[in-house]
């Protein structure tokens, strides 16, 4: 296995971890205004992700850093072509982070309402745009022979990408609802369970629509082959099992299944891309691959040593933080946000 493949796998792992962890963060933020009946309940909902949300975003920063260092041409083409979409996503994430910190700084109801809806907006926009971005990765965007993006912003908002965006938005919302059933108590837990059951149907239908549309619109499944094609089937089966598990109040298993569905969907996309990282809709030969967009072997070798040392440390630390804050949060708990 060459260094380019190793770093492609690492980027895949980083994005998979990001979507699994930040996915329920986005879902909680999206449901936040609809879950709560008063300010104390809203603070309780936010506190379910309070110790985790900023740590979860580190996965995105690390994935972006890995792309920049290992595949600079991919990074350059992506950020120039997707500039407006990524800027919009960044502004949303900043607004969301500021809202978490600012909403409790003043007791004025209008002040808190503004930041509550900022949390919703800052969660919903990235949840939608990540789906749009990855759909364009596999469908293809106009990239010329010089690896430059030759389209505009509205090229990215094609019907296929929007279906994928709605699918990612809905499945992250479901992931967040199931997470809330694990982290809340009493009436909040009952409402979270009810919302999870309601969100499951549109999330499942949109995910199936995206899979069918992918088969029609792209070469993803043809490139996967027979045996790797089992992975997207497992993703669908995991999602279908969620409603059964929710009916049996097996929230832990339901959360595991939404996480598996997200993880397998992400892995499917990267496997279908390999060895490409960004498909050219103008000419398949102009697509960016892990070879024509990578850094030198020397750079990749140094980075591999650094990653081998520090990635396990980060994983252990984040696992420890989840263990420390594993208890449920109730309206009687000491609240921060």
């Amino acid at each position: 296995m060459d260094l380019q493949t190793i770093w492609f796998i690492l980027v895949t792992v980083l994005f998979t971890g990001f979507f699994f962890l930040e996915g329920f963060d986005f879902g909680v933020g999206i449901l936040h205004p609809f879950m709560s009946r008063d300010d104390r309940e809203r603070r309780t909902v936010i506190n379910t992700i309070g110790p985790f949300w900023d740590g979860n975003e580190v996965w995105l920063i690390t994935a972006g850093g890995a792309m920049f260092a290992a595949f600079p041409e991919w990074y350059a083409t992506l950020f120039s072509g997707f500039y407006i979409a990524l800027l919009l996503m960044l502004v949303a994430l900043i607004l969301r982070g500021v809202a978490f910190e600012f909403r409790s700084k003043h007791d004025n109801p209008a002040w808190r309402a503004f930041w509550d809806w900022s949390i919703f907006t800052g969660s919903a926009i990235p949840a939608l745009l990540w789906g749009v971005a990855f759909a364009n990765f596999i469908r293809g965007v106009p990239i010329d022979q010089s690896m430059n993006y030759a389209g505009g912003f509205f090229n990215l908002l094609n019907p296929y990408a929007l279906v994928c965006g709605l699918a990612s938005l809905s499945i992250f919302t479901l992931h967040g609802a199931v997470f809330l059933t694990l982290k809340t108590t009493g009436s909040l837990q009952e409402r979270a369970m009810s919302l999870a059951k309601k969100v499951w149907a549109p999330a499942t239908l949109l995910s199936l629509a995206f899979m069918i549309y992918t088969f029609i619109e792209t070469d993803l499944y043809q490139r996967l082959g027979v045996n790797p094609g089992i992975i997207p089937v497992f993703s669908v089966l995991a999602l279908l099992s969620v409603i059964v598990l929710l009916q049996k109040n097996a929230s832990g298993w339901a959360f595991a299944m939404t996480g598996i569905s997200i993880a397998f969907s992400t892995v499917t996309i990267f496997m279908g891309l390999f060895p490409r990282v960004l498909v050219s809709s103008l000419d398949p030969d102009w697509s960016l691959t892990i070879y024509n967009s990578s850094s030198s072997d020397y750079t990749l070798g140094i980075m591999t040593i650094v990653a081998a040392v520090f990635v396990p440390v980060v994983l252990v630390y984040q696992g420890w933080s989840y263990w420390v804050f594993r208890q449920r949060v109730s309206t009687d708990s000491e609240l921060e946000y």
Side-chain angles (χ1 to χ4, degrees):
M1 186 181 296
D2 53 40
L3 289 171
Q4 286 84 359
T5 301
I6 290 173
W7 275 92
F8 180 83
I9 293 172
L10 182 57
V11 170
T12 303
V13 170
L14 290 171
F15 271 110
T16 302
F18 171 68
F19 290 138
F20 178 87
L21 296 172
E22 193 73 352
F24 69 74
D25 274 2
F26 288 152
V28 171
I30 291 165
L31 293 171
H32 164 60
F34 311 105
M35 269 282 297
S36 316
R37 293 175 179 170
D38 56 40
D39 184 69
R40 189 159 188 85
E41 287 190 347
R42 284 188 285 275
R43 293 179 66 194
T44 302
V45 170
I46 296 174
N47 272 264
T48 62
I49 58 173
F52 311 125
W53 69 268
D54 48 354
N56 293 342
E57 289 187 354
V58 171
W59 286 75
L60 174 60
I61 297 170
T62 308
M67 287 172 58
F68 173 75
F71 305 107
E73 293 291 349
W74 180 19
Y75 185 92
T77 303
L78 175 64
F79 275 76
S80 59
F82 291 55
Y83 183 80
I84 296 177
L86 292 173
L87 178 63
L88 181 61
M89 186 186 299
L90 178 62
V91 170
L93 290 172
I94 292 173
L95 179 66
R96 179 172 175 262
V98 170
F100 282 135
E101 300 298 334
F102 274 33
R103 79 169 303 277
S104 62
K105 302 300 182 185
H106 200 290
D107 292 334
N108 187 297
W111 169 273
R112 294 197 170 185
F114 171 78
W115 292 117
D116 286 336
W117 285 104
S118 296
I119 292 172
F120 168 80
T121 304
S123 301
I125 289 176
L128 175 73
L129 290 181
W130 276 119
V132 170
F134 271 81
N136 281 292
F137 283 7
I138 56 179
R139 178 180 181 270
V141 291
I143 298 173
D144 63 23
Q145 193 171 7
S146 301
M147 298 186 184
N148 294 319
Y149 180 76
F153 173 69
F154 291 101
N155 288 95
L156 306 177
L157 301 180
N158 52 80
Y160 171 69
L162 291 175
V163 168
C164 183
L166 291 174
S168 65
L169 175 66
S170 61
I171 197 168
F172 287 156
T173 304
L174 174 63
H175 196 40
V178 178
F179 176 78
L180 285 171
T181 67
L182 293 173
K183 292 293 291 182
T184 55
T185 60
S187 60
L188 273 176
Q189 185 186 29
E190 292 173 3
R191 262 175 267 154
M193 182 66 75
S194 176
L195 280 171
K197 292 174 181 177
K198 292 176 181 177
V199 173
W200 174 83
T204 303
L205 291 174
L206 284 167
S207 297
L208 290 172
F210 169 63
M211 288 187 65
I212 295 169
Y213 209 164
T214 298
F215 182 80
I216 297 170
E217 192 76 6
T218 75
D219 63 353
L220 182 73
Y221 295 123
Q222 292 89 327
R223 292 177 64 88
L224 282 173
V226 178
N227 293 328
I230 295 173
I231 294 178
V233 173
F234 282 154
S235 175
V236 172
L237 291 176
L239 192 56
L240 291 173
S241 71
V242 171
I243 190 63
V244 177
L245 294 167
L246 290 174
Q247 295 291 355
K248 295 182 177 181
N249 290 320
S251 297
W253 283 107
F255 181 73
M257 291 300 105
T258 56
I260 287 173
S261 182
I262 291 170
F264 279 14
S265 297
T266 307
V267 170
T268 297
I269 290 173
F270 276 97
M271 287 182 65
L273 276 173
F274 182 82
R276 305 168 302 176
V277 290
L278 202 55
V279 177
S280 172
S281 60
L282 301 179
D283 188 330
D285 292 335
W286 295 346
S287 298
L288 275 68
T289 70
I290 61 173
Y291 300 108
N292 65 13
S293 65
S294 74
S295 297
S296 66
D297 285 347
Y298 177 78
T299 300
L300 294 177
I302 297 296
M303 289 169 53
T304 302
I305 296 171
V306 174
V309 174
F310 288 103
V311 169
V313 175
V314 173
L315 291 175
V316 170
Y317 170 76
Q318 191 158 27
W320 174 81
S321 69
Y322 273 90
W323 174 256
V324 170
F325 295 103
R326 66 189 182 279
Q327 294 86 0
R328 292 179 182 268
V329 180
S330 71
T331 52
D332 297 326
S333 304
E334 183 178 348
L335 302 177
E336 178 181 356
Y337 293 97

